Amino acid sequence: MRRYELNMTSGRIWTVLLAFTWPLLLENILQLLYYTTDSVIVGRYVGVSALAAISATTHICGMLVRFFNGTATGAGVVISRSFGANDRERLNESIKTSLILTLTGCVILTVFGVTMSRFFLERMSTPPDVIDEADTYLKIYFGGISGLLFYNIGGAILRAMGDTRRPLFFLIVCSILNIVLDLAFVKIGWGIAGVAIATITAQALSACLVIYTVIKTAGLSGRWRLDREISRMILKIGLPFGIQMAIVAFSNVFVQGYINVFGTACIAGWGVYMKLDQYMMLPIQSMGQAVTVFTGQNLGAEKRDRAISGTWTALAMMLVISSGIASTLYLLAPVLSSFFSPDARVIEYGTLFIRMCTPIAVTCCFNQILSGYLRGDGNSRMPMVITLCTHVFFRQIYLAVITRLIPGNVYVVGFGYPAGWILCAVIMKGYYFYWQKKIITKRGCDNAEISR
């Protein structure tokens, strides 16, 4: 076992999960700080309209980036299974194939994002005093998106082998660089463009560091080629998750459209809530990623019972932790909102959305942890279907109906998120038990065949 690798097939389950999760959580928090820093600096030193411009870009960036990051989950599952089975040759081929697929994705996303940014902003009914700055931010952001994608796939590869510490270290360095460059570029008058340039510069450095580490750690050698079988497995597992994440983010673009009609202050307040909400979601999502890798490694080692125990241990831990975070956000909502902008209306809207949504976000523990297990078990399709039905179709139907029944009410628009979370948690839990029963039945049939 190499120094940075974590074998999750033995040891106390809760300590193994925490050992994997806490560096990943800090890494995700630091990555989120890229965008939070942009919002805080712009909101305080450039103005409310610039803060609203960045807020208006959040879901567009998320829609395209999450598609490729979700697909990277497939690479993580394939790599974690090879690692759990101690198959170094297949492990190296999986890493090479993952990096080649990422390079292809970088080209597609750069071209698509730069050319379509204005189109999406217009479809979201972005106000005239916001749209030009938002378009500038998006074009620069997508022009340098390769750094983010390569960092994320490199981090996914290292995490699949149990290494969450070095990606964290790289991100600490680059987060500090991002803050310094943000302040410097805004000070010299580059405004929102300077913030975007600072972000992509820091991301490019983090990508170089993590990809160098992957190549050195894995000892990659020989011919680089796209392995068809491995590509098929990566896409089979990752593509449904990528589509799920992209469509959910795309539906959020339409939610943003409903918010935009309430004006610049409401857009900025919604952006404040979205930034803070992500800090609540990050521990849940990080544990969900840990469960995916934990499940992949243990199933690779033929330890299904341990994989199931790990899922319920993770769920119990996250219900406690997320409840504490939700309570903190609820109580400190006005103070936290004021960090982003001194404008009283922005603080009012930010506080409203935080207190309406964060207590119910605890239900996302079921969604993330149980779907993490299913993906680690090679089943990405049904978590995708369930999430799309509840986070996209149900949410859009709810908003379309409720805004006609109760027009001009920001409360009922904001509640679209919690309504989808509750429904998803109920359905996901039911499907998880159905899947386990199906697996147990299949194993019983297989054993009966062998005994004949």
Side-chain angles (χ1 to χ4, degrees), residues 72-102:
T73 302
V77 172
V78 171
I79 291 168
S80 66
R81 288 199 173 192
S82 300
F83 179 82
N86 200 28
D87 187 345
R88 287 285 169 176
E89 181 179 351
R90 184 171 180 79
L91 178 66
N92 286 354
E93 288 302 314
S94 299
I95 293 173
K96 292 178 184 178
T97 297
S98 300
L99 293 176
I100 294 171
L101 288 173
T102 300

Side-chain angles (χ1 to χ4, degrees), residues 187-266:
K187 189 175 180 63
I188 63 177
W190 288 8
I192 200 168
V195 168
I197 292 170
T199 297
I200 66 172
T201 301
Q203 287 174 345
L205 176 60
S206 65
C208 292
L209 291 171
V210 80
I211 294 301
Y212 171 78
T213 302
V214 166
I215 294 173
K216 184 178 179 181
T217 300
L220 301 181
S221 60
R223 187 164 64 95
W224 283 65
R225 65 186 181 88
L226 195 68
D227 186 286
R228 287 189 177 184
E229 180 194 352
I230 293 174
S231 298
R232 183 184 61 79
M233 291 185 64
I234 289 174
L235 295 176
K236 179 182 177 183
I237 297 171
L239 199 57
F241 188 37
I243 293 172
Q244 166 194 319
M245 295 184 72
I247 294 179
V248 169
F250 184 66
S251 74
N252 291 339
V253 170
F254 290 103
V255 175
Q256 184 72 50
Y258 284 98
I259 292 292
N260 287 353
V261 301
F262 292 98
T264 301
C266 186

Side-chain angles (χ1 to χ4, degrees), residues 279-291:
Y279 285 98
M280 174 163 179
M281 292 297 181
L282 280 180
I284 304 172
Q285 293 169 348
S286 299
M287 186 62 80
Q289 290 177 269
V291 169

Side-chain angles (χ1 to χ4, degrees), residues 16-62:
V16 169
L17 285 169
L18 287 180
F20 183 94
T21 301
W22 77 261
L24 175 59
L25 173 58
L26 289 179
E27 179 188 340
N28 286 335
I29 289 174
L30 287 171
Q31 198 166 35
L32 182 56
L33 279 175
Y34 276 111
Y35 312 108
T36 306
T37 300
D38 290 352
S39 296
V40 171
I41 291 175
V42 164
R44 289 200 160 268
Y45 299 109
V46 183
V48 173
S49 64
L51 174 59
I54 289 185
S55 300
T57 68
T58 299
H59 296 307
I60 297 175
C61 295

Side-chain angles (χ1 to χ4, degrees), residues 9 17 26-27 32 40 72 87 96 106-107 146 196 222 227 248 313 334 348 353 387-389 403 438:
T9 61
L17 285 169
L26 289 179
E27 179 188 340
L32 182 56
V40 171
D87 187 345
K96 292 178 184 178
C106 288
V107 175
S146 296
D227 186 286
V248 169
T313 300
E348 179 185 348
F353 292 129
T387 302
L388 293 184
C389 288
T403 52
K438 180 178 177 181

